[in-house]
Amino acid sequence: MKDKSKNVYMVSGGVTKFAKATPEMDFRLRVKKAFDYAMDDINMPLSEIDGSVASYFSDHFQRQLMAGIMVQDYLGLTPKPSKRIEGGGATGGLAFQTGYEEIASGRMDTCAVFGFESMSHVNTWKGNEFIALASDTNFDYPVGGFYTGYYAMMAVRHMHEFGTTVEQLAKVSIKNHKNAKHNPYSQSPMDLTVDMVRNSPMVSYPLTRLDVCTMSDGAAVAILASEEKAFELTDHPVLIKSIGTGTDTMRLSDRPFGKVPLLPNEKESDYRDLKYPGIHSFRAGRTAAIEAYKGAGITDPLEELDVIELHDAYTSSEIQTYEDLGLCKYGEGGKFIEEGKSELNGKVAVNPSGGLLACGHPVGATGIMQSVFMFWQLQHTISKHFKDDYLQVNNAKRGLIHSHAGTGTYVTATVMEAV
Amino acid sequence: MTIDPNAKMPETQNGTEVYNTDPLTVKSHYEIDYIHSYAQDSEFFRALGKKKLMGSRCKKCGYKYATPRGHCMMCGAETEWFELPNEGKVHSFTTCYFGSEEFLPETPFNLVMVEFEGVDSLFMSRLIGASQEDIYVGMKVKAKFKRIQKFSPTDVYFVPAGDK
């Protein structure tokens, strides 16, 4: 499938500072700011953009349909081709991969992928209702109607199955909020302790307020290009080496109890008694990882990846994702954070930006934000863009970005490499 | 003659609620009724009124679903209805202290994923009669049905089966 496609590069990126509410800008102006930052960074004129992909999740938040074309219009990109991509929390990851496909297919030489979400138009609990409408409205929404509740049940099962502890969950929150202190784009940088995380208000047992990401207003833009064009535009493009995507049943209740799809560094005997995925693991995440690793020739992800930005909407889902990505075996995710392996200076830096927990989660922008932070990591330009080099991962050569929807319903994994 | 240069739009007294003047921020209201058909899932909701919990069984491969679906995800064949046992076990649980706006007045409430003996998939429901500290994975629970049907999946709920 991959063989005949062309190499695709990321050549620039921009992000707005995510915030709870930014009423002084609408979604178009927010994207424009991120877009101009990206274009100015490589002195790219508007005429060089061949087309775009719009990334936003919910029409409910703004009650403005066709918001994608309004951004295209505002940026001055009409009448060039554009389309909107939507897939819940993974909207950004899916849109980024769609931009990749536009270039890989040879249709475009350059493509702007822009993501945004304006969640401040409604109160937090109404926002949670809109998000919960991304669960089966016959059987799930009327019963739970709350995504934190669904994730809490997955976390409880992970704890039951593998002995994961609430203290281990808290350590993810501590790490990501701490990293964010050096990321000027983040929404909620802070120093935390296990007690502070556990003593913050319980949202859905065992997840407290500090185990859960926030709603935000924000935008992010990634500019992608073909090989020929990339090196014309910049001396430091980043190769998008491979993409992977997985899906799973909309309803948690339908998840089967079968066998683990194995990565090259795993054996069937590792999981003799594990019924998979059940509701403790994300089969879509594993499926995405298998495809992305195959495309990039990765056989030992922990050794071969230097930096990861993954979808930590909940502390528990970061731990679950360590396992899906094969950074450790299923069941070892809690120990992985406890031993500091995902710290900035650990075995592999996971969410050096602060992740969703500390940067915020303006849904359609989130996956694009990850790509921009990864791009700067692999370009070694964190100090330029953050005005602080603390978060620059030393010798970062290869990274993975991971975007995640629903209860693990769409998951994307994309491998990027310094050139 | 219909041309009238002095034409004037009628004024109304219902004003606009202004939240802020800079940037100018106003409130707009949105409300809608949906005509929602349960379609191929209808039997499940009708059966709750007869105090029956219905699942789906694949006619071809026999896979059994505790939450109904018209076609099998394993082989694609059509499913048929079958009655689920009245008792099951807690596969996982949580207690929601916050929720979506619609359910916020009901907090705190317990959510459970219920597993049934011999059934391949799970069922999400509310559990009452137990607080967070009392619930555990493996706890026996039994289905109860509301007397006045709302034609919602919450017409069925679970309570502790009274064992230990």
Side-chain angles (χ1 to χ4, degrees):
Chain A
M1 203 154 57
K2 172 79 178 73
D3 301 321
K4 286 185 184 151
S5 68
K6 299 181 173 185
N7 281 340
V8 182
Y9 292 80
M10 182 161 170
V11 293
S12 196
V15 186
T16 63
K17 183 179 166 64
F18 294 173
K20 178 81 186 164
T22 49
E24 68 283 2
M25 288 185 279
D26 75 359
F27 62 104
R28 294 169 300 178
L29 181 54
R30 265 195 290 279
V31 176
K32 173 72 172 156
K33 298 232 172 201
F35 180 72
D36 283 352
Y37 186 96
M39 297 292 276
D40 292 348
D41 199 35
I42 52 170
N43 297 312
M44 187 174 180
L46 200 55
S47 58
E48 291 270 19
I49 300 281
D50 288 345
S52 76
V53 178
S55 166
Y56 60 104
F57 156 58
S58 178
D59 295 304
H60 290 43
F61 279 110
Q62 296 187 156
R63 198 152 75 89
Q64 171 64 66
L65 304 194
M66 285 174 65
I69 186 59
M70 291 175 72
V71 174
Q72 174 87 347
D73 171 352
Y74 199 79
L75 297 178
L77 290 174
T78 51
K80 292 167 181 177
S82 184
K83 63 165 78 81
R84 179 247 184 122
I85 297 293
E86 189 278 317
T91 296
L94 291 166
F96 188 79
Q97 295 189 343
T98 302
Y100 167 97
E101 288 158 355
E102 295 282 29
I103 310 277
S105 67
R107 183 190 185 196
M108 295 180 191
D109 276 319
T110 58
C111 181
V113 183
F114 56 80
F116 59 91
E117 208 79 41
S118 305
M119 306 175 84
S120 64
H121 294 282
V122 296
N123 72 55
T124 297
W125 308 116
K126 186 52 107 180
N128 269 287
E129 197 175 300
F130 289 167
I131 291 166
L133 287 170
S135 62
D136 186 311
T137 54
N138 278 9
F139 292 100
D140 291 347
Y141 175 80
V143 178
F146 191 37
Y147 254 96
T148 308
Y150 305 150
Y151 272 82
M153 287 195 284
M154 291 189 276
V156 164
R157 190 67 200 187
H158 198 275
M159 290 160 71
H160 173 81
E161 204 78 49
F162 303 123
T164 312
T165 66
V166 293
E167 289 76 19
Q168 290 168 338
L169 302 186
K171 290 209 162 122
V172 173
S173 182
I174 295 168
K175 167 178 73 73
N176 293 356
H177 286 98
K178 182 181 68 189
N179 287 347
K181 285 169 62 190
H182 298 273
N183 177 356
Y185 293 97
S186 70
Q187 185 171 337
S188 39
M190 56 183 129
D191 281 314
L192 293 170
T193 62
V194 170
D195 283 345
M196 287 162 79
V197 177
R198 293 315 300 163
N199 292 334
S200 74
M202 186 62 75
V203 180
S204 285
Y205 171 82
L207 302 174
T208 73
R209 179 64 202 81
L210 289 169
D211 285 304
V212 184
C213 67
T214 55
M215 294 200 200
S216 319
D217 284 353
V221 172
I223 315 277
L224 311 185
S226 63
E227 185 157 288
E228 196 185 29
K229 203 75 193 172
F231 286 93
E232 239 175 67
L233 289 163
T234 172
D235 293 334
H236 305 288
V238 165
L239 178 67
I240 304 168
K241 181 71 178 170
S242 65
I243 64 173
T245 317
T247 59
D248 216 328
T249 63
M250 185 64 158
R251 305 185 305 209
L252 264 187
S253 56
D254 283 339
R255 302 286 160 84
F257 296 89
K259 283 185 175 174
V260 180
L262 299 174
L263 287 170
N265 57 329
E266 294 174 325
K267 300 183 298 290
E268 207 170 320
S269 59
D270 293 340
Y271 303 121
R272 210 167 279 135
D273 301 319
L274 184 63
K275 296 198 166 98
Y276 184 89
I279 62 165
H280 53 75
S281 298
F282 302 120
R283 187 172 52 157
R286 174 47 69 94
T287 306
I290 288 171
E291 187 190 355
Y293 291 163
K294 193 170 171 225
I298 291 172
T299 55
D300 189 352
L302 186 59
E303 294 301 325
E304 295 171 66
L305 291 168
D306 305 311
V307 51
I308 293 172
E309 288 286 341
L310 65 80
H311 194 99
D312 57 329
Y314 304 92
T315 52
S316 48
S317 52
E318 174 159 328
I319 286 177
Q320 288 164 302
T321 298
Y322 295 154
E323 301 169 355
D324 300 328
L325 296 179
L327 304 179
C328 58
K329 296 215 160 61
Y330 277 109
E332 295 175 354
K335 222 171 71 191
F336 193 80
I337 178 72
E338 198 170 275
E339 291 172 354
K341 288 185 176 160
S342 51
E343 297 281 349
L344 185 60
N345 297 308
K347 189 79 186 138
V348 57
V350 178
N351 289 329
S353 69
L356 282 57
L357 284 167
C359 288
H361 183 19
V363 189
T366 303
I368 316 295
M369 165 198 80
Q370 294 173 320
S371 78
V372 176
F373 292 153
M374 184 56 72
F375 173 72
W376 291 338
Q377 282 286 359
L378 297 173
Q379 255 197 339
H380 289 260
T381 55
I382 287 289
S383 66
K384 175 184 168 191
H385 299 285
F386 285 9
K387 315 281 183 248
D388 179 347
D389 69 353
Y390 183 84
L391 296 174
Q392 179 66 57
V393 174
N394 295 328
N395 302 317
K397 287 198 176 66
R398 189 190 251 166
L400 180 140
I401 52 175
H402 162 277
S403 192
H404 175 116
T407 49
T409 316
Y410 288 112
V411 181
T412 65
T414 301
V415 175
M416 296 167 67
E417 286 179 3
V419 291
Chain B
M1 183 65 176
T2 53
I3 299 291
D4 178 8
N6 296 318
K8 218 176 158 192
M9 278 289 224
E11 303 284 347
T12 59
Q13 293 303 309
N14 52 329
T16 294
E17 205 170 313
V18 175
Y19 276 42
N20 199 357
T21 51
D22 186 21
L24 184 59
T25 309
V26 300
K27 179 178 178 174
S28 72
H29 184 71
Y30 182 49
E31 203 175 293
I32 192 161
D33 288 320
Y34 282 94
I35 312 301
H36 181 81
S37 167
Y38 284 122
Q40 69 270 23
D41 295 333
S42 295
E43 179 56 22
F44 171 82
F45 295 92
R46 286 192 296 259
L48 294 180
K50 294 174 241 163
K51 300 191 187 306
K52 282 183 178 176
L53 192 54
M54 302 299 283
S56 306
R57 177 172 43 216
C58 178
K59 286 182 188 172
K60 195 170 154 202
C61 74
Y63 200 89
K64 286 184 185 167
Y65 298 90
T67 311
R69 47 188 296 156
H71 285 82
C72 180
M73 67 177 184
M74 292 296 176
C75 72
E78 202 177 15
T79 59
E80 59 192 1
W81 295 99
F82 80 102
E83 193 177 341
L84 288 161
N86 212 44
E87 277 196 21
K89 282 195 291 191
V90 171
H91 183 79
S92 194
F93 68 94
T94 186
T95 303
C96 297
Y97 296 89
F98 292 92
S100 297
E101 194 171 76
E102 184 177 348
F103 306 110
L104 210 47
E106 299 168 29
T107 57
F109 57 81
N110 304 319
L111 288 180
V112 284
M113 299 297 294
V114 181
E115 56 181 49
F116 298 98
E117 187 71 35
V119 180
D120 298 296
S121 78
L122 305 172
F123 184 74
M124 189 192 293
S125 195
R126 297 276 184 102
L127 174 74
I128 64 163
S131 50
Q132 184 205 303
E133 307 75 48
D134 304 321
I135 312 170
Y136 57 93
V137 171
M139 181 185 196
K140 282 191 181 169
V141 291
K142 62 180 180 202
K144 279 186 107 166
F145 300 85
K146 281 193 187 148
R147 186 171 53 82
I148 300 169
Q149 260 195 293
K150 299 279 168 61
F151 298 99
S152 158
T154 48
D155 285 349
V156 60
Y157 56 95
F158 283 77
V159 295
D163 72 305
K164 180 79 191 181

